[in-house]
Coordinates of all heavy atoms in Angstrom, one line a residue:
E1 N 25.9 4.6 -28.1 CA 26.2 3.8 -27.0 C 25.7 4.4 -25.7 O 25.8 5.6 -25.5 CB 27.7 3.5 -26.9 CG 28.0 2.5 -25.8 CD 29.5 2.3 -25.8 OE1 30.1 2.4 -26.8 OE2 30.0 1.9 -24.7
D2 N 25.1 3.6 -24.8 CA 24.6 4.1 -23.5 C 25.8 4.5 -22.6 O 26.7 3.7 -22.4 CB 23.7 3.0 -22.9 CG 23.0 3.5 -21.6 OD1 23.0 4.7 -21.4 OD2 22.5 2.7 -21.0
S3 N 25.8 5.8 -22.2 CA 26.9 6.3 -21.3 C 26.6 6.1 -19.8 O 27.5 6.5 -19.0 CB 27.2 7.7 -21.7 OG 26.1 8.5 -21.4
L4 N 25.4 5.6 -19.5 CA 25.1 5.4 -18.1 C 25.9 4.3 -17.5 O 26.2 3.3 -18.2 CB 23.6 5.2 -17.8 CG 22.7 6.3 -18.2 CD1 21.3 5.9 -18.1 CD2 23.0 7.5 -17.3
P5 N 26.4 4.4 -16.2 CA 27.2 3.3 -15.7 C 26.3 2.1 -15.5 O 25.1 2.2 -15.2 CB 27.6 3.8 -14.3 CG 26.8 5.0 -14.0 CD 26.2 5.5 -15.3
K6 N 26.9 0.9 -15.7 CA 26.1 -0.3 -15.5 C 26.0 -0.7 -14.0 O 27.0 -0.7 -13.3 CB 26.8 -1.4 -16.3 CG 27.0 -1.1 -17.7 CD 26.5 -2.3 -18.5 CE 26.7 -2.1 -20.0 NZ 25.8 -1.1 -20.6
T7 N 24.8 -0.9 -13.5 CA 24.6 -1.3 -12.1 C 23.8 -2.6 -12.1 O 23.1 -2.9 -13.1 CB 23.9 -0.2 -11.4 OG1 22.6 0.1 -12.0 CG2 24.7 1.1 -11.3
S8 N 23.8 -3.2 -11.0 CA 23.1 -4.4 -10.9 C 21.6 -4.1 -10.7 O 21.2 -3.0 -10.3 CB 23.5 -5.3 -9.7 OG 23.4 -4.5 -8.5
A9 N 20.7 -5.0 -11.1 CA 19.3 -4.8 -11.0 C 18.9 -4.7 -9.5 O 19.5 -5.4 -8.7 CB 18.6 -5.9 -11.7
P10 N 17.9 -4.0 -9.2 CA 17.4 -3.9 -7.8 C 16.9 -5.3 -7.4 O 16.4 -6.1 -8.2 CB 16.3 -2.9 -7.8 CG 15.9 -2.7 -9.2 CD 17.1 -3.1 -10.1
F11 N 17.0 -5.6 -6.1 CA 16.6 -6.8 -5.6 C 15.1 -6.8 -5.4 O 14.5 -5.9 -4.9 CB 17.2 -7.0 -4.2 CG 16.8 -8.3 -3.5 CD1 17.2 -9.5 -4.0 CD2 16.1 -8.3 -2.4 CE1 16.8 -10.7 -3.4 CE2 15.7 -9.5 -1.7 CZ 16.1 -10.7 -2.2
S12 N 14.4 -7.8 -5.9 CA 13.0 -7.9 -5.9 C 12.5 -8.9 -4.8 O 13.1 -9.9 -4.7 CB 12.4 -8.3 -7.2 OG 11.1 -8.6 -7.1
T13 N 11.5 -8.6 -4.1 CA 11.0 -9.5 -3.1 C 9.5 -9.9 -3.4 O 8.7 -10.2 -2.5 CB 11.0 -8.9 -1.7 OG1 10.3 -7.7 -1.7 CG2 12.5 -8.6 -1.2
N14 N 9.2 -10.1 -4.7 CA 7.9 -10.4 -5.1 C 7.5 -11.8 -4.8 O 6.4 -12.2 -4.8 CB 7.7 -10.1 -6.6 CG 7.7 -8.6 -6.8 OD1 7.5 -7.8 -5.9 ND2 8.0 -8.2 -8.0
S15 N 8.5 -12.7 -4.7 CA 8.3 -14.1 -4.5 C 9.1 -14.7 -3.4 O 10.2 -14.3 -3.2 CB 8.6 -14.8 -5.8 OG 8.7 -16.2 -5.7
L16 N 8.6 -15.7 -2.7 CA 9.4 -16.4 -1.7 C 10.5 -17.2 -2.4 O 11.4 -17.7 -1.7 CB 8.5 -17.3 -0.9 CG 7.6 -16.6 0.1 CD1 6.7 -17.5 0.9 CD2 8.4 -15.7 1.1
E17 N 10.5 -17.4 -3.7 CA 11.5 -18.1 -4.4 C 12.7 -17.2 -4.7 O 13.7 -17.7 -5.2 CB 11.0 -18.7 -5.7 CG 10.0 -19.9 -5.4 CD 10.7 -21.1 -4.7 OE1 11.8 -21.4 -5.0 OE2 10.0 -21.7 -3.9
T18 N 12.6 -15.9 -4.5 CA 13.6 -15.0 -4.8 C 14.9 -15.3 -4.0 O 14.8 -15.7 -2.8 CB 13.2 -13.5 -4.4 OG1 12.0 -13.2 -5.1 CG2 14.3 -12.5 -4.7
F19 N 16.0 -15.2 -4.7 CA 17.3 -15.5 -4.0 C 17.7 -14.3 -3.2 O 17.5 -13.2 -3.5 CB 18.3 -16.0 -5.0 CG 18.2 -17.4 -5.4 CD1 17.4 -17.7 -6.5 CD2 18.8 -18.4 -4.7 CE1 17.2 -19.0 -6.9 CE2 18.6 -19.7 -5.1 CZ 17.8 -20.0 -6.2
V20 N 18.4 -14.6 -2.1 CA 19.0 -13.6 -1.2 C 20.1 -12.9 -2.0 O 20.8 -13.5 -2.7 CB 19.5 -14.2 0.1 CG1 20.1 -13.2 1.0 CG2 18.3 -15.0 0.7
T21 N 20.2 -11.6 -1.7 CA 21.3 -10.8 -2.4 C 22.6 -11.4 -2.0 O 22.8 -12.0 -0.9 CB 21.2 -9.3 -2.0 OG1 21.3 -9.3 -0.5 CG2 20.0 -8.7 -2.4
P22 N 23.7 -11.2 -2.8 CA 25.0 -11.8 -2.4 C 25.6 -11.3 -1.1 O 26.2 -12.0 -0.4 CB 25.9 -11.3 -3.6 CG 24.9 -11.1 -4.7 CD 23.6 -10.6 -4.1
N23 N 25.3 -10.0 -0.8 CA 25.9 -9.4 0.4 C 25.2 -9.9 1.7 O 25.9 -10.3 2.7 CB 25.8 -7.9 0.4 CG 26.7 -7.4 -0.7 OD1 27.6 -8.0 -1.1 ND2 26.3 -6.2 -1.3
S24 N 23.9 -9.9 1.8 CA 23.2 -10.4 3.0 C 21.7 -10.5 2.7 O 21.2 -10.1 1.7 CB 23.5 -9.3 4.1 OG 22.9 -8.1 3.7
L25 N 21.0 -11.0 3.7 CA 19.6 -11.0 3.7 C 19.1 -9.5 3.9 O 19.4 -8.9 4.9 CB 19.1 -11.9 4.8 CG 17.6 -12.2 4.8 CD1 17.2 -13.0 3.6 CD2 17.3 -13.0 6.1
N26 N 18.4 -9.0 2.9 CA 18.1 -7.6 3.1 C 16.9 -7.4 4.0 O 16.2 -8.4 4.4 CB 17.8 -6.9 1.7 CG 16.6 -7.3 1.0 OD1 15.6 -7.7 1.7 ND2 16.6 -7.1 -0.3
L27 N 16.6 -6.2 4.5 CA 15.6 -6.0 5.5 C 14.2 -6.4 5.1 O 13.5 -7.1 5.9 CB 15.6 -4.5 5.9 CG 14.7 -4.2 7.1 CD1 15.1 -5.0 8.3 CD2 14.8 -2.7 7.4
S28 N 13.9 -6.2 3.8 CA 12.6 -6.6 3.3 C 12.4 -8.1 3.4 O 11.4 -8.6 3.8 CB 12.4 -6.0 1.9 OG 11.1 -6.4 1.4
S29 N 13.4 -8.8 2.9 CA 13.4 -10.3 2.9 C 13.3 -10.8 4.4 O 12.6 -11.8 4.7 CB 14.6 -10.9 2.2 OG 14.5 -10.6 0.9
F30 N 14.1 -10.2 5.2 CA 14.1 -10.6 6.6 C 12.7 -10.4 7.3 O 12.2 -11.3 7.9 CB 15.2 -9.8 7.4 CG 15.2 -10.1 8.9 CD1 15.8 -11.2 9.4 CD2 14.5 -9.2 9.8 CE1 15.8 -11.5 10.7 CE2 14.5 -9.5 11.1 CZ 15.2 -10.6 11.6
T31 N 12.1 -9.3 7.0 CA 10.8 -9.0 7.5 C 9.8 -10.1 7.0 O 9.0 -10.6 7.8 CB 10.3 -7.6 7.1 OG1 11.3 -6.7 7.6 CG2 8.9 -7.3 7.7
K32 N 9.8 -10.4 5.7 CA 8.9 -11.3 5.1 C 9.2 -12.7 5.7 O 8.3 -13.5 6.1 CB 9.2 -11.4 3.6 CG 8.3 -12.4 2.9 CD 8.6 -12.4 1.4 CE 8.1 -11.2 0.7 NZ 8.2 -11.2 -0.7
L33 N 10.5 -13.1 5.9 CA 10.8 -14.4 6.5 C 10.4 -14.5 7.9 O 9.8 -15.5 8.3 CB 12.4 -14.5 6.4 CG 13.0 -15.8 6.7 CD1 12.4 -16.9 5.9 CD2 14.5 -15.7 6.5
M34 N 10.6 -13.4 8.7 CA 10.1 -13.4 10.1 C 8.6 -13.6 10.2 O 8.1 -14.4 11.0 CB 10.5 -12.1 10.8 CG 12.0 -12.0 11.1 SD 12.6 -13.3 12.3 CE 11.6 -12.8 13.8
K35 N 7.9 -12.9 9.3 CA 6.4 -12.9 9.4 C 5.9 -14.3 9.0 O 5.1 -14.9 9.7 CB 5.8 -11.9 8.4 CG 4.3 -11.9 8.3 CD 3.8 -10.9 7.4 CE 2.3 -10.9 7.3 NZ 1.7 -10.1 6.3
K36 N 6.5 -14.9 8.0 CA 6.1 -16.3 7.6 C 6.5 -17.3 8.7 O 5.6 -18.2 9.0 CB 6.9 -16.6 6.3 CG 6.3 -17.8 5.6 CD 4.9 -17.5 5.0 CE 4.5 -18.6 4.1 NZ 3.1 -18.5 3.8
L37 N 7.6 -17.2 9.3 CA 8.0 -18.1 10.3 C 7.2 -18.0 11.6 O 6.8 -19.0 12.2 CB 9.5 -18.0 10.7 CG 10.5 -18.6 9.6 CD1 11.9 -18.2 9.9 CD2 10.3 -20.1 9.6
Q38 N 6.8 -16.7 11.9 CA 5.9 -16.5 13.0 C 4.5 -17.1 12.7 O 3.8 -17.6 13.7 CB 5.8 -15.0 13.3 CG 7.0 -14.5 14.0 CD 7.0 -13.0 14.1 OE1 6.5 -12.2 13.3 NE2 7.6 -12.5 15.2
E39 N 4.0 -17.1 11.5 CA 2.7 -17.7 11.1 C 2.8 -19.2 11.3 O 1.9 -19.8 11.7 CB 2.4 -17.3 9.7 CG 2.0 -15.9 9.5 CD 1.8 -15.5 8.0 OE1 1.9 -16.4 7.1 OE2 1.5 -14.3 7.8
I40 N 3.9 -19.8 10.8 CA 4.1 -21.2 10.8 C 4.3 -21.8 12.2 O 3.9 -22.8 12.6 CB 5.3 -21.7 9.9 CG1 4.9 -21.3 8.5 CG2 5.6 -23.2 10.0 CD1 6.1 -21.5 7.5
H41 N 5.1 -21.0 13.0 CA 5.5 -21.3 14.4 C 5.0 -20.3 15.4 O 5.8 -19.6 16.0 CB 7.0 -21.5 14.5 CG 7.5 -22.5 13.5 ND1 7.4 -23.9 13.7 CD2 8.1 -22.3 12.3 CE1 8.0 -24.5 12.7 NE2 8.4 -23.6 11.8
P42 N 3.7 -20.2 15.6 CA 3.2 -19.1 16.5 C 3.7 -19.3 18.0 O 3.7 -18.3 18.7 CB 1.7 -19.3 16.5 CG 1.4 -20.7 15.9 CD 2.6 -21.0 15.1
E43 N 4.1 -20.5 18.3 CA 4.6 -20.7 19.7 C 6.0 -20.2 19.9 O 6.5 -20.0 21.0 CB 4.6 -22.2 20.0 CG 5.7 -23.1 19.4 CD 5.6 -23.3 17.8 OE1 4.6 -22.9 17.2 OE2 6.6 -23.8 17.3
A44 N 6.7 -20.0 18.8 CA 8.1 -19.5 18.9 C 8.2 -18.0 19.0 O 7.5 -17.2 18.4 CB 8.9 -19.9 17.6
S45 N 9.1 -17.6 20.0 CA 9.3 -16.1 20.2 C 10.1 -15.6 19.0 O 10.8 -16.3 18.3 CB 10.0 -15.9 21.5 OG 11.3 -16.4 21.4
R46 N 10.1 -14.3 18.9 CA 10.9 -13.6 17.9 C 12.4 -14.0 18.1 O 13.1 -14.3 17.1 CB 10.7 -12.1 17.9 CG 11.5 -11.3 16.9 CD 11.2 -9.9 16.9 NE 12.0 -9.1 16.1 CZ 11.8 -8.9 14.8 NH1 10.8 -9.5 14.2 NH2 12.7 -8.2 14.0
D47 N 12.8 -14.0 19.3 CA 14.2 -14.3 19.6 C 14.6 -15.7 19.2 O 15.7 -16.0 18.7 CB 14.5 -14.1 21.1 CG 14.6 -12.7 21.5 OD1 14.7 -11.8 20.6 OD2 14.6 -12.4 22.7
K48 N 13.6 -16.7 19.4 CA 13.9 -18.1 19.0 C 14.0 -18.2 17.5 O 14.8 -19.0 17.0 CB 12.8 -19.0 19.5 CG 12.9 -19.3 21.0 CD 12.4 -20.7 21.2 CE 12.6 -21.2 22.6 NZ 13.8 -21.8 22.8
I49 N 13.2 -17.4 16.8 CA 13.2 -17.5 15.3 C 14.5 -16.9 14.8 O 15.2 -17.4 13.9 CB 12.0 -16.7 14.7 CG1 10.7 -17.5 15.0 CG2 12.2 -16.5 13.2 CD1 9.4 -16.7 14.7
V50 N 14.9 -15.8 15.4 CA 16.2 -15.2 15.0 C 17.4 -16.1 15.3 O 18.3 -16.3 14.5 CB 16.4 -13.8 15.8 CG1 17.9 -13.3 15.6 CG2 15.4 -12.8 15.3
D51 N 17.3 -16.8 16.5 CA 18.3 -17.8 16.8 C 18.3 -18.9 15.8 O 19.4 -19.4 15.4 CB 18.1 -18.4 18.2 CG 18.4 -17.4 19.3 OD1 19.1 -16.4 19.1 OD2 18.0 -17.7 20.5
A52 N 17.2 -19.4 15.3 CA 17.1 -20.4 14.3 C 17.7 -19.9 13.0 O 18.4 -20.7 12.3 CB 15.6 -20.8 14.1
L53 N 17.4 -18.7 12.6 CA 18.0 -18.1 11.4 C 19.6 -18.0 11.5 O 20.3 -18.3 10.5 CB 17.4 -16.8 11.1 CG 15.9 -16.8 10.7 CD1 15.4 -15.4 10.6 CD2 15.7 -17.5 9.4
L54 N 20.0 -17.7 12.7 CA 21.5 -17.6 12.9 C 22.1 -19.0 12.8 O 23.2 -19.2 12.3 CB 21.8 -17.0 14.3 CG 21.5 -15.5 14.4 CD1 21.7 -15.0 15.8 CD2 22.4 -14.7 13.4
E55 N 21.4 -20.0 13.3 CA 21.8 -21.4 13.2 C 21.9 -21.8 11.7 O 22.8 -22.5 11.3 CB 20.9 -22.3 14.0 CG 21.4 -23.7 14.2 CD 22.5 -23.8 15.2 OE1 22.8 -22.9 16.0 OE2 23.2 -24.9 15.1
V56 N 20.9 -21.5 11.0 CA 20.9 -21.8 9.5 C 22.1 -21.2 8.9 O 22.8 -21.8 8.1 CB 19.6 -21.3 8.8 CG1 19.7 -21.4 7.3 CG2 18.4 -22.0 9.3
R57 N 22.4 -19.9 9.2 CA 23.5 -19.2 8.6 C 24.8 -19.9 9.1 O 25.7 -20.2 8.2 CB 23.6 -17.8 9.1 CG 24.7 -17.0 8.4 CD 24.7 -15.5 8.8 NE 25.1 -15.4 10.2 CZ 25.1 -14.2 10.8 NH1 24.8 -13.1 10.1 NH2 25.5 -14.1 12.0
K58 N 24.9 -20.3 10.3 CA 26.1 -21.0 10.8 C 26.4 -22.3 10.1 O 27.5 -22.6 9.7 CB 25.9 -21.3 12.3 CG 27.1 -22.0 13.0 CD 26.8 -22.2 14.5 CE 27.4 -23.4 15.0 NZ 27.0 -23.7 16.3
H59 N 25.3 -23.0 9.8 CA 25.5 -24.3 9.1 C 25.7 -24.1 7.6 O 25.9 -25.1 6.9 CB 24.2 -25.2 9.4 CG 24.2 -25.7 10.8 ND1 25.1 -26.6 11.3 CD2 23.3 -25.5 11.8 CE1 24.8 -26.9 12.5 NE2 23.7 -26.2 12.9
N60 N 25.6 -22.9 7.1 CA 25.8 -22.6 5.7 C 27.0 -21.8 5.5 O 27.0 -20.8 4.8 CB 24.5 -21.9 5.1 CG 24.5 -21.9 3.6 OD1 24.7 -23.0 3.0 ND2 24.4 -20.8 3.0
N61 N 28.1 -22.2 6.2 CA 29.4 -21.5 6.1 C 29.3 -20.0 6.5 O 30.0 -19.2 6.0 CB 30.0 -21.6 4.7 CG 30.3 -23.1 4.4 OD1 30.7 -23.9 5.3 ND2 30.0 -23.5 3.2
G62 N 28.4 -19.7 7.4 CA 28.3 -18.3 7.9 C 27.6 -17.3 7.0 O 27.7 -16.1 7.2
I63 N 27.0 -17.8 5.9 CA 26.3 -16.9 5.0 C 24.9 -17.4 4.7 O 24.6 -18.6 4.8 CB 27.1 -16.6 3.7 CG1 27.4 -18.0 3.0 CG2 28.3 -15.9 4.0 CD1 28.0 -17.8 1.6
L64 N 24.0 -16.5 4.3 CA 22.7 -16.9 3.8 C 22.6 -16.7 2.3 O 21.6 -17.2 1.7 CB 21.6 -16.2 4.5 CG 21.4 -16.5 6.0 CD1 20.4 -15.6 6.6 CD2 21.0 -17.9 6.2
S65 N 23.5 -16.0 1.7 CA 23.4 -15.7 0.3 C 23.5 -17.0 -0.5 O 24.1 -18.0 -0.1 CB 24.5 -14.8 -0.2 OG 25.8 -15.4 0.0
G66 N 22.7 -17.0 -1.6 CA 22.6 -18.2 -2.4 C 21.5 -19.1 -2.1 O 21.1 -20.0 -2.9
L67 N 20.9 -19.0 -0.9 CA 19.8 -19.8 -0.5 C 18.5 -19.0 -0.8 O 18.4 -17.8 -0.6 CB 19.8 -20.0 1.1 CG 21.0 -20.9 1.6 CD1 20.9 -20.9 3.1 CD2 21.0 -22.2 1.0
S68 N 17.5 -19.8 -1.3 CA 16.2 -19.1 -1.5 C 15.6 -18.9 -0.2 O 15.9 -19.5 0.9 CB 15.4 -20.0 -2.4 OG 15.0 -21.2 -1.7
I69 N 14.6 -18.0 -0.2 CA 13.8 -17.7 1.0 C 13.2 -19.0 1.5 O 13.2 -19.3 2.7 CB 12.8 -16.6 0.8 CG1 13.5 -15.3 0.3 CG2 11.9 -16.3 2.0 CD1 14.4 -14.6 1.4
N70 N 12.6 -19.7 0.6 CA 12.0 -21.0 1.0 C 12.9 -22.0 1.7 O 12.6 -22.6 2.6 CB 11.3 -21.7 -0.2 CG 9.9 -21.2 -0.5 OD1 9.3 -20.5 0.4 ND2 9.4 -21.5 -1.7
S71 N 14.1 -22.0 1.1 CA 15.1 -22.9 1.7 C 15.5 -22.5 3.1 O 15.6 -23.3 4.0 CB 16.4 -23.0 0.8 OG 17.4 -23.8 1.4
I72 N 15.7 -21.2 3.3 CA 16.0 -20.7 4.6 C 14.9 -21.0 5.6 O 15.1 -21.4 6.7 CB 16.3 -19.1 4.6 CG1 17.6 -18.9 3.7 CG2 16.5 -18.6 6.0 CD1 17.8 -17.4 3.4
M73 N 13.7 -20.7 5.1 CA 12.5 -21.0 5.9 C 12.4 -22.4 6.3 O 12.1 -22.7 7.5 CB 11.2 -20.5 5.2 CG 10.0 -20.4 6.0 SD 8.7 -19.5 5.1 CE 8.4 -20.6 3.7
E74 N 12.6 -23.3 5.4 CA 12.5 -24.8 5.7 C 13.5 -25.2 6.7 O 13.3 -25.9 7.7 CB 12.7 -25.6 4.4 CG 11.5 -25.5 3.5 CD 11.7 -26.1 2.1 OE1 12.9 -26.7 1.9 OE2 10.9 -26.0 1.2
R75 N 14.8 -24.7 6.5 CA 15.9 -25.1 7.4 C 15.6 -24.5 8.8 O 15.8 -25.2 9.8 CB 17.2 -24.5 6.9 CG 17.6 -25.3 5.6 CD 18.9 -24.7 5.1 NE 19.1 -25.3 3.8 CZ 20.4 -25.3 3.2 NH1 21.4 -24.7 3.8 NH2 20.5 -25.8 2.0
A76 N 15.1 -23.3 8.9 CA 14.8 -22.7 10.2 C 13.6 -23.4 10.9 O 13.7 -23.6 12.1 CB 14.4 -21.2 10.0
S77 N 12.7 -23.8 10.1 CA 11.5 -24.6 10.6 C 12.0 -25.9 11.3 O 11.5 -26.3 12.3 CB 10.5 -24.9 9.6 OG 9.8 -23.7 9.2
L78 N 13.0 -26.6 10.7 CA 13.5 -27.8 11.2 C 14.1 -27.6 12.6 O 14.0 -28.4 13.5 CB 14.5 -28.4 10.3 CG 13.9 -29.1 9.0 CD1 15.1 -29.5 8.1 CD2 13.0 -30.2 9.3
I79 N 14.8 -26.4 12.7 CA 15.4 -26.1 14.0 C 14.4 -25.7 15.0 O 14.5 -26.1 16.2 CB 16.4 -24.9 13.8 CG1 17.6 -25.4 12.9 CG2 16.9 -24.4 15.1 CD1 18.4 -24.3 12.3
L80 N 13.3 -25.0 14.6 CA 12.3 -24.6 15.5 C 11.5 -25.8 16.0 O 11.0 -25.9 17.0 CB 11.4 -23.5 14.9 CG 12.1 -22.2 14.7 CD1 11.2 -21.3 13.8 CD2 12.4 -21.5 16.0

């Protein structure tokens, strides 16, 4: 029997379809999301994008976990 403690698998950011970790949007996902939103909305400042992401979180019961990166991106784009 394997005596190593069981841990959760590391979070992968290989795909925009990857789900956000249960605790929060991790830094790598946030960076990818910011970059993609800046490409789609070049007129929006970084602060406006962050505000849009905060609005998405607010409308999702204060959390982003459980939403795919694409879903977060789509919702933020509607706000922007």
Side-chain angles (χ1 to χ4, degrees):
E1 183 178 334
D2 186 10
S3 62
L4 294 175
K6 302 229 183 288
T7 59
S8 60
F11 180 66
S12 170
T13 57
N14 293 339
S15 166
L16 286 178
E17 290 297 321
T18 303
F19 281 89
V20 177
T21 58
N23 296 330
S24 66
L25 186 64
N26 72 27
L27 188 56
S28 179
S29 293
F30 176 78
T31 302
K32 182 182 286 188
L33 190 54
M34 286 297 296
K35 181 179 178 188
K36 194 71 172 166
L37 286 169
Q38 286 172 328
E39 289 172 3
I40 296 169
H41 303 283
E43 75 290 350
S45 68
R46 180 176 174 84
D47 287 344
K48 282 211 176 271
I49 293 172
V50 170
D51 288 344
L53 292 172
L54 291 173
E55 190 73 16
V56 171
R57 184 176 73 179
K58 179 179 151 189
H59 291 293
N60 195 53
N61 298 320
I63 58 172
L64 292 175
S65 63
L67 296 176
S68 69
I69 299 297
N70 274 346
S71 178
I72 295 168
M73 195 169 56
E74 288 170 4
R75 292 175 188 202
S77 288
L78 288 174
I79 294 166
L80 292 169

